[in-house]
Amino acid sequence: MQPNSLSTIGGEFLDPQREAAFQAERLPETLRHARLLFGLAAILNFLFLASDWRFLGDPHFAVAVPARLGVVVISLICLGLAPRATNFPALQRLILGWETAAAIGVALLVSSRSDIALFVVLMLPAVFLLVAPTRFRWTVVVGVGTSGLLLAAYALPPPLPATSIGLGLAAVMANVALLLVVVRSNRLRRLEWIAMQAERRANRDLLESRQLFEALFTAVPIPVVVSDAQDGRFVNMNDAARSFFGIGSPGHLTALSTRTFIDKPDRRRVQGALDRHRTVRDIEVPLRTIDGAHRDVLLSADAVQIGHRPCVITSLVDITARKAAEETIRDAAHHDVLTGLPNRALFQVTLDAALARAEREASQVGLILLDLDAFKEVNDTLGHDAGDILLKEVAIRLSGLVEPGDLVARLGGDEFVLITAGTRDGTGESPRIDAVAAAVLDVLGPAVAIAGRSVSPRASLGLALYPDHARNAADLLTNADLALYAAKAAGRNQAALFKPALRASIEERVTVAREIRAGLAEGGIVPFYQPKVHLGTGAIVGFEALARWHHPARGLLAPAAFASAFDDPEIGAALGASIAQQVARDLRSWLASGLDPGRVFVNLSTAQFADRDLAESFLAMLAATGVPTERLGVEVTETVLLGGRGERVSDVLKRLHVAGIRVALDDFGTGYASLTHLKRFPVDEIKVDRSFINDLTRDVNDVAIVTAVLQLGRSLGLDVTAEGVETVEQARFLEAGGCSFAQGYLYAKPTAASRIPWLLSKGLGVSRTPRAVFSDLAAAG
């Protein structure tokens, strides 16, 4: 059953709860209606009391006046009791009681069968039916009952009046008609109430919805603005929007519009999207606030109709902070953290763009690759903080050189790069890149005070030009790197321009490195042994192990043919380790055969000292092969000592020296600060370079140098070995001068390991040179 279903007969709600709700809601109105009914009844009956005096002297007077007074009294009592009725059933009981009392009183009155009694017989039931606010069933009961009571009072006792039948028929017709009116009235009142309820509910929902919308509109943290679609004037905005734009009072809105905050091109862009789609989403727009601050927002807008007024509802998402963060991230992604210079990524993008522009304009681009000289020594001696200070200073100085359109970047470590726009002169040269390179060397010249010390940031520069030296960015950078390598090889602190020969050189180095790796894997790198003889006795006291390469196409190669491989950190270390292991195996074999090969020296390259555990590896290798440490020696050149790992080299040599492995300083006299090295490193022996021995019997300078070295060795208690001895005269001079040992073709060329047993058993066959000859040779020199 539907809650709003109405009874067909009575016009009331079929649902008792619904009917009770209807009556309860209408109770105040029903109460006022009942009180008015009681009051009018009291007044009218009091007035009618005057007309009842016509019965004075008539027996009916005694009936009429008390009856009339009774109705007045009952009406007044009910009027007084009505306010105490707190619900409809109580009020209905009060009304039914009044109706019953009034019906009885009026019935007594109509018993007079006066003319007015006919009117009352018809009128009072009509009043009860139409005016008394009671439930339908009680309305029927009271109405019909009152009609019957009044008809009975009028007609009885017999004889019946002539009008009784007509009056009865009139009462029936009147009651039926009135009941139909009551049914219709009941239905109409309830339908009206239903409509009012629906309207009230709709209004309540609308009010709640509006309140919710206003609360959301006001409280939402995203700025929302309602503006007139015609002129852009602001109609309304929420608190977030007022705060965003810096608008204090809402009354200021009418004086503001979108023109106040958004530039004309952006307004046109947004309006165009609205015209096409009536909605826009997430358009990025810059705007201004009241105080002139600039903000970036994502704007979304919808065209709406508010009443008869076309409006635009706009929401804004402030992305100013996000864009700033993105810019910071983008800047960090493209700039070096330490120096603030562009990093490798931004350099690559800039170089690509510069080359594309140069290709369109048929112009030139210069690339200068810069690497700081001896930067590692700054880190090792003064610490990494000092190195960072030096890098920052270099960045500042280089930044002061570049012009608009140029770029200086840090690629990493101590490596920087400059992109310059080149200009050709009449000869086809590019003087600008040369001028920039010279300016770089000049600006880096002044020393920097770091950690209480004066540091000069020297650098080597590699130069390359587009399109002269390369047609793409990768080749241009490679060629600049080759030129940088050439600058370092030429003595550092200078600039070198790329030449095609440099590429051939690097390609050769790459080829050598590749083939050397294959040679190591296949066992093609082997030691050859050159005897070391005692000048006084001519006896073999040991050997120097020299690397030889059995090249599959070029035959047996000396180290000069693959010298570049020793500079490679990985290959150089692998070469040294392979030679040392083979020497240890050969020594074990010779000793097991009863031979006395003396002490065999192996050369250590700079690459091997990258291994902090080099000394332990050597000693472990000897222990594994069972070779005593007194059978092995190591040779290092001053280049190794100057290679930037001074402390590490010193530690390794000290550990080897303590373990019984002799240390020889090779190529003595050809490097720098030799005396410093003799003091700093645990050197047991020095070897005179062959360049001083070749012209020993003809060049006075060589004689002086060799003589000084021999005297230095004696003074320091060091053994001296001469390399490259090829004549008896050289040997005799060296012996006479106090040289201990010699190597050279005079005695034997470097020999394969398989020939050493035969060589040890046969001897060299070189007679000892008399010391007396020394003075003659010295005088003749």
Side-chain angles (χ1 to χ4, degrees), residues 596-756:
D596 183 9
R599 188 186 295 266
V600 179
F601 282 80
V602 296
N603 291 279
L604 298 181
S605 66
T606 303
Q608 290 178 267
F609 283 95
D611 182 7
R612 295 182 178 273
D613 299 325
L614 179 61
E616 285 72 15
S617 299
F618 252 75
L619 296 175
M621 176 192 67
L622 293 177
T625 54
V627 176
T629 55
E630 61 268 17
R631 292 293 185 174
L632 192 70
V634 294
E635 294 186 12
V636 294
T637 64
E638 289 183 333
T639 302
V640 173
L641 304 183
L642 289 168
R645 295 190 177 96
E647 293 299 330
R648 186 179 301 178
V649 171
S650 177
D651 291 341
V652 171
L653 295 181
K654 285 177 181 177
R655 279 182 277 179
L656 294 176
H657 180 77
V658 170
I661 297 176
R662 285 175 66 85
V663 178
L665 184 58
D666 200 7
D667 299 338
F668 187 78
T670 61
Y672 304 93
S674 298
L675 295 180
T676 302
H677 294 153
L678 293 177
K679 178 181 178 181
R680 181 180 177 186
F681 298 97
V683 177
D684 300 297
E685 181 179 327
I686 54 179
K687 300 186 73 172
V688 183
D689 188 68
R690 66 179 66 250
S691 62
F692 301 119
I693 304 299
N694 289 339
D695 295 328
L696 183 60
T697 58
R698 297 185 299 274
D699 191 313
V700 176
N701 292 328
D702 287 344
V703 170
I705 292 172
V706 172
T707 300
V709 172
L710 293 175
Q711 291 175 351
L712 178 64
R714 286 197 301 272
S715 299
L716 297 176
L718 301 176
D719 290 331
V720 180
T721 299
E723 295 182 302
V725 178
E726 297 181 355
T727 66
V728 174
E729 290 76 10
Q730 293 170 348
R732 289 174 178 172
F733 178 89
L734 292 167
E735 182 189 9
C739 184
S740 307
F741 311 107
Q743 292 175 226
Y745 285 2
L746 175 62
Y747 308 105
K749 295 181 179 181
T751 305
S754 60
R755 298 282 296 169
I756 297 304

Side-chain angles (χ1 to χ4, degrees), residues 98-340:
W98 171 79
E99 287 179 320
T100 302
I104 293 172
V106 172
L108 293 174
L109 289 172
V110 299
S111 64
S112 66
R113 296 181 179 179
S114 63
D115 294 337
I116 196 172
L118 293 173
F119 172 76
V120 172
V121 169
L122 297 176
M123 186 63 187
L124 185 62
V127 170
F128 287 171
L129 287 172
L130 296 178
V131 179
T134 57
R135 295 291 300 274
F136 179 73
R137 63 176 178 272
W138 289 112
T139 299
V140 173
V141 169
V142 172
V144 174
T146 301
S147 291
L149 179 63
L150 293 181
L151 284 173
Y154 180 80
L156 297 176
L160 295 176
T163 58
S164 298
I165 297 175
L167 182 61
L169 293 174
V172 171
M173 293 177 61
N175 284 334
V176 171
L178 290 175
L179 285 175
L180 291 177
V181 172
V182 170
V183 170
R184 185 172 183 276
S185 176
N186 284 346
R187 292 182 64 86
L188 289 177
R189 284 201 303 269
R190 282 157 179 78
L191 289 175
E192 179 186 10
W193 182 75
I194 292 172
M196 289 178 60
Q197 287 288 99
E199 181 183 4
R200 192 178 302 160
R201 186 165 52 251
N203 289 336
R204 183 175 63 251
D205 292 343
L206 181 61
L207 178 62
E208 291 176 354
S209 176
R210 182 173 180 176
Q211 291 174 341
L212 177 62
F213 171 77
E214 290 178 351
L216 290 174
F217 181 76
T218 302
V220 68
I222 298 176
V224 179
V225 178
V226 181
S227 59
D228 191 290
Q230 301 298 325
D231 56 14
R233 290 188 177 276
F234 288 167
V235 177
N236 198 1
M237 63 172 56
N238 64 355
D239 293 344
R242 280 196 290 273
S243 175
F244 177 81
F245 287 108
I247 300 172
S249 172
H252 295 163
L253 289 180
T254 56
L256 301 174
S257 71
T258 55
R259 294 179 177 84
T260 311
F261 304 100
I262 304 177
D263 291 334
K264 189 173 183 179
D266 295 310
R267 291 202 309 272
R268 286 181 173 177
R269 181 159 56 96
V270 174
Q271 188 61 49
L274 275 175
D275 292 340
R276 289 190 302 271
H277 309 294
R278 295 192 59 81
T279 182
V280 294
R281 289 291 178 268
D282 296 335
I283 294 182
E284 187 172 329
V285 177
L287 50 77
R288 299 175 302 277
T289 60
I290 288 293
D291 58 4
H294 288 270
R295 292 285 186 272
D296 293 298
V297 300
L298 286 180
L299 182 148
S300 298
D302 292 277
V304 298
Q305 196 79 14
I306 300 179
H308 299 290
R309 186 179 191 180
C311 294
V312 177
I313 298 180
T314 305
S315 63
L316 308 172
V317 177
D318 189 356
I319 60 171
T320 306
R322 189 184 81 185
K323 289 198 69 173
E326 289 174 352
E327 185 62 30
T328 301
I329 294 172
R330 188 161 45 248
D331 186 75
H334 291 90
H335 288 79
D336 175 55
V337 176
L338 178 64
T339 63

Side-chain angles (χ1 to χ4, degrees), residues 16 84 94 97 163 178-179 375 407 416 451 473 502 562 611 616 761:
R84 298 183 181 182
L94 184 63
T163 58
L178 290 175
L179 285 175
F375 177 73
L407 178 80
F416 297 82
L502 295 176
F562 54 97
D611 182 7
E616 285 72 15
S761 62

